Amino acid sequence: KVVAKESITVPAGSFDCYRIEYDSDLSVDFSGMAVILNMVKRRLEREGNAHTTIWLTEKHGWVKQEIKSRSGTSYLELVSLVK
């Protein structure tokens, strides 16, 4: 859902963006899969739900992403543009 239009600054520069937010359930059904995936399953079960915010521009697309879950907050940011 688009919740705002705002200017943000990331290492690649400043951009006018649409801010999109959504909640997601990080649980996955691993029944019938190999034992090696149990580590992944346990991590996803610890994380539970996540709140994601994405900033997009009309010209460049994705600029930044923030994911908040029980274990903390992670960020991805655009660091450069190739013209």
Side-chain angles (χ1 to χ4, degrees):
K1 173 181 172 182
V2 175
V3 295
K5 187 168 184 181
E6 60 190 20
S7 294
I8 66 165
T9 301
V10 295
S14 295
F15 301 89
D16 292 326
C17 296
Y18 292 100
R19 188 177 81 217
I20 299 167
E21 296 184 12
Y22 62 91
D23 294 313
S24 58
D25 180 3
L26 296 177
S27 62
V28 176
D29 180 8
F30 284 95
S31 60
M33 294 188 174
V35 174
I36 192 75
L37 293 176
N38 280 334
M39 292 185 305
V40 175
K41 179 182 177 187
R42 285 193 297 273
R43 180 168 185 213
L44 289 171
E45 288 171 346
R46 281 195 312 266
E47 297 297 323
N49 295 329
H51 181 78
T52 302
T53 304
I54 299 173
W55 288 264
L56 301 171
T57 68
E58 289 184 29
K59 183 176 180 181
H60 303 291
W62 178 93
V63 173
K64 181 177 177 178
Q65 181 173 339
E66 174 186 278
I67 301 172
K68 293 181 181 181
S69 68
R70 281 184 255 181
S71 65
T73 302
S74 61
Y75 298 92
L76 297 170
E77 296 181 329
L78 184 65
V79 294
S80 67
L81 287 173
V82 178
K83 296 181 181 182

